[in-house]
Amino acid sequence: MLHDLRKQYESAPESSILERAVTQNGINNVAKDKDIKTKLNPVFSVEVETGNVSNQKRSGRCWLFSILNTLKHRFAKKYNVKNFELSQNYLFFWDKIERANIFYDRMIATAGLPTNDRTVSFYLDGPGTDGGQWAMAASLVQKYGVMPTSAFSETNVSENTTDLNEVLNLKLRRDGMKLREMVNNDATDEDINAAREKMLSEVYRIAGYSLGVPPKTFDFEYRDDKKKYHLDCNLTPNSFYAKYFSDVDLNDYVVLSNSPDKAMNKRYSMSAQNNVVGGINIEFLNLTMPELKTAAIEQLKAGETVWFGNDVTRQLSRKEGFLDANLYHYDELFNLNLSMTKAERLAYKQGEVSHAMTLTGVDLVNDKPTKWKVENSWGDKNGFNGYFVMADNWMDEYVYEVVINKKFLTDSQRELLSLAPEELKPWDSLA
């Protein structure tokens, strides 16, 4: 068989030249569409004015960056401060505490199941990792408020969370083991709760050493874009949020998903990924892609940016900031059929919601979107000063969620929100 494989390879006249081209230049450089720069010219007919991009650096906090981007855009417009930033580290600190707290609840509740049970295994996969959903971020904002970066800045650890995740995964898995042992050995509720409280205090210590402990109060001092000086003293994160974001009610927003491996026009929930006890439940309203686009366009036209979940690693030119479903012609290069539908990619683990970014503009030609302006959180050295251009075909294939204010939904879509959500498995494709 090996003899035949080599013979087939050598018999193809293009093999030698393509071998030289690919080995010396790389797969993507050879497969890349030569007209992409012309196609994805960064000009948009509908655009929300925004400022400098943020940088999550070596962390998985895109979901936090994206929700804070949507909030800071509102602040910038309302208070005339274009380059304003909210503290991502602040919400990240509380996520570590909340995520540990709910993990302990889950370990106690599932103590009677074996560790190779699929649900237990899901909980143990990464209890201390960074990733998250929109509802998780919204829950943290509602409970803890927000504060400007000037009041609680990034740390070495928040900008590179590898070591922190390793420590927390070890800590939480060991704690989970101990709590399960206590339950299965018939320990009293009092003893279990005491152990749990001690464990949580230790997580707080790890987070405090690594990220700093957020201040209870702070002074907000800034100059607006007209150089006018402002000082607001003795604020708490919750009073700051209530005062400066009084026009925002996160309960007015809904996650519209396009997950074609599931039935459309249905609500789904995924409580296994919730991070805050009593917080906003993770829910999706599954609709067609044209419906997601229409809602996103309406929100952008109203001057409001859009949080969206996507699979950013596919068909991406990170340095140039291009996202196009036909950016790399792998099929042509290798003379293969590599096509899969969106539903097939989700079902066979080729598709996933791996990143969150923010829509800040769209280019409409004859009222149809051709490309979208995307604010990323990878710093200003990628793309166009940190902004990416996303082809409409990429949105079709690799965007799975958009967060939309209910007022931009149709009447029939709002009616679907009254349906009882169907609970998804923890390991669902939207996880």
Side-chain angles (χ1 to χ4, degrees):
M1 185 183 290
L2 292 175
H3 172 79
D4 290 342
L5 292 175
R6 186 182 184 99
K7 186 176 180 181
Q8 291 172 28
Y9 181 86
E10 293 177 343
S11 67
E14 70 274 12
S15 291
S16 60
I17 190 170
L18 285 175
E19 181 180 315
R20 292 195 298 273
V22 175
T23 55
Q24 294 180 53
N25 296 284
I27 291 174
N28 281 358
N29 287 329
V30 178
K32 189 175 180 181
D33 191 312
K34 65 181 180 62
D35 297 321
I36 197 66
K37 289 185 178 181
T38 302
K39 179 181 178 182
L40 297 184
N41 182 34
V43 178
F44 306 89
S45 59
V46 177
E47 191 170 356
V48 180
E49 186 176 358
T50 53
N52 295 340
V53 300
S54 50
N55 194 343
Q56 69 186 78
K57 297 193 176 178
R58 300 185 66 180
S59 72
R61 299 173 293 156
C62 57
W63 53 291
L64 291 173
F65 275 72
S66 190
I67 195 171
L68 292 178
N69 284 343
T70 63
L71 290 174
K72 77 177 184 181
H73 298 154
R74 299 176 76 106
F75 180 92
K77 182 178 180 180
K78 186 175 181 179
Y79 296 100
N80 195 31
V81 188
K82 187 176 183 181
N83 292 316
F84 170 73
E85 190 158 355
L86 291 164
S87 174
Q88 300 90 4
N89 191 33
Y90 173 69
L91 293 183
F92 189 54
F93 174 90
W94 290 117
D95 180 59
K96 290 307 181 190
I97 309 303
E98 290 286 351
R99 203 176 292 219
N101 179 63
I102 204 167
F103 173 76
Y104 293 149
D105 285 351
R106 289 163 174 161
M107 287 295 96
I108 292 169
T110 60
L113 299 173
T115 54
N116 62 1
D117 173 83
R118 198 166 183 186
T119 297
V120 177
S121 179
F122 173 82
Y123 292 146
L124 293 172
D125 274 345
T129 52
D130 295 356
Q133 304 264 8
W134 179 86
M136 297 166 65
S139 295
L140 293 169
V141 172
Q142 285 189 333
K143 184 170 183 177
Y144 293 103
V146 295
M147 62 171 62
T149 303
S150 58
F152 195 61
S153 60
E154 294 286 287
T155 71
N156 176 279
V157 176
S158 69
E159 292 180 339
N160 185 350
T161 58
T162 303
D163 296 344
L164 176 61
N165 290 343
E166 184 173 349
V167 171
L168 283 174
N169 279 328
L170 172 60
K171 159 73 175 159
L172 293 173
R173 286 168 180 149
R174 185 180 186 280
D175 288 348
M177 178 182 70
K178 293 298 181 183
L179 289 172
R180 286 168 56 86
E181 288 175 353
M182 292 183 74
V183 172
N184 291 324
N185 289 331
D186 297 323
T188 65
D189 290 345
E190 183 180 4
D191 287 344
I192 292 172
N193 288 333
R196 186 187 180 287
E197 186 173 332
K198 181 175 183 296
M199 290 170 181
L200 197 59
S201 73
E202 293 165 345
V203 171
Y204 192 102
R205 183 195 314 160
I206 294 170
Y209 288 176
S210 304
L211 307 172
V213 175
K216 292 182 179 180
T217 63
F218 60 92
D219 297 338
F220 183 39
E221 185 178 25
Y222 69 98
R223 284 190 184 275
D224 62 27
D225 293 338
K226 296 180 180 179
K227 307 304 180 185
K228 184 178 179 181
Y229 175 79
H230 301 264
L231 176 63
D232 197 351
C233 295
N234 201 34
L235 293 163
T236 67
N238 281 311
S239 69
F240 175 76
Y241 180 66
K243 180 175 183 178
Y244 289 96
F245 299 91
S246 58
D247 58 339
V248 179
D249 184 351
L250 295 176
N251 290 318
D252 287 339
Y253 290 81
V254 60
V255 180
L256 305 184
S257 65
N258 178 246
S259 185
D261 57 335
K262 305 174 186 62
M264 293 291 160
N265 299 312
K266 290 188 64 175
R267 286 179 73 200
Y268 296 96
S269 63
M270 194 183 295
S271 59
Q273 281 202 337
N274 291 344
N275 62 332
V276 177
V277 175
I280 298 176
N281 193 38
I282 296 173
E283 293 184 357
F284 313 95
L285 180 56
N286 205 33
L287 301 173
T288 65
M289 205 63 220
E291 290 177 290
L292 267 67
K293 292 181 187 180
T294 298
I297 290 169
E298 291 304 308
Q299 191 157 302
L300 288 170
K301 283 183 174 179
E304 184 176 350
T305 56
V306 180
W307 187 108
F308 75 106
N310 58 88
D311 197 358
V312 74
T313 59
R314 312 298 179 188
Q315 295 288 337
L316 158 74
S317 175
R318 178 173 181 142
K319 189 66 177 176
E320 294 174 297
F322 293 139
L323 296 160
D324 190 294
N326 299 312
L327 180 59
Y328 302 111
H329 298 278
Y330 301 129
D331 301 60
E332 293 179 15
L333 174 60
F334 294 108
N335 192 24
L336 300 170
N337 180 1
L338 297 175
S339 61
M340 297 178 77
T341 66
K342 196 173 189 178
E344 290 167 345
R345 288 196 301 272
L346 287 170
Y348 283 85
K349 308 302 179 185
Q350 180 61 22
E352 62 176 343
V353 186
S354 62
H355 192 48
M357 298 186 287
T358 311
L359 295 174
T360 64
V362 61
D363 196 35
L364 301 176
V365 177
N366 297 323
D367 292 327
K368 300 293 184 183
T370 60
K371 58 183 184 288
W372 303 73
K373 185 177 181 182
V374 173
E375 181 180 5
N376 206 346
S377 52
W378 291 349
D380 60 7
K381 298 296 188 288
N382 296 288
F384 303 89
N385 296 317
Y387 289 87
F388 283 37
V389 183
M390 177 177 70
D392 190 60
N393 62 22
W394 198 92
M395 189 173 193
D396 285 330
E397 298 296 331
Y398 301 112
V399 170
Y400 298 100
E401 303 165 7
V402 295
V403 176
I404 301 295
N405 192 303
K406 295 174 186 176
K407 66 184 179 182
F408 298 114
L409 302 182
T410 65
D411 290 341
S412 59
Q413 289 166 350
R414 277 190 288 270
E415 288 176 5
L416 294 173
L417 297 176
S418 62
L419 298 174
E422 178 183 325
E423 183 70 24
L424 296 173
K425 299 295 185 183
W427 49 88
D428 185 81
S429 59
L430 287 177

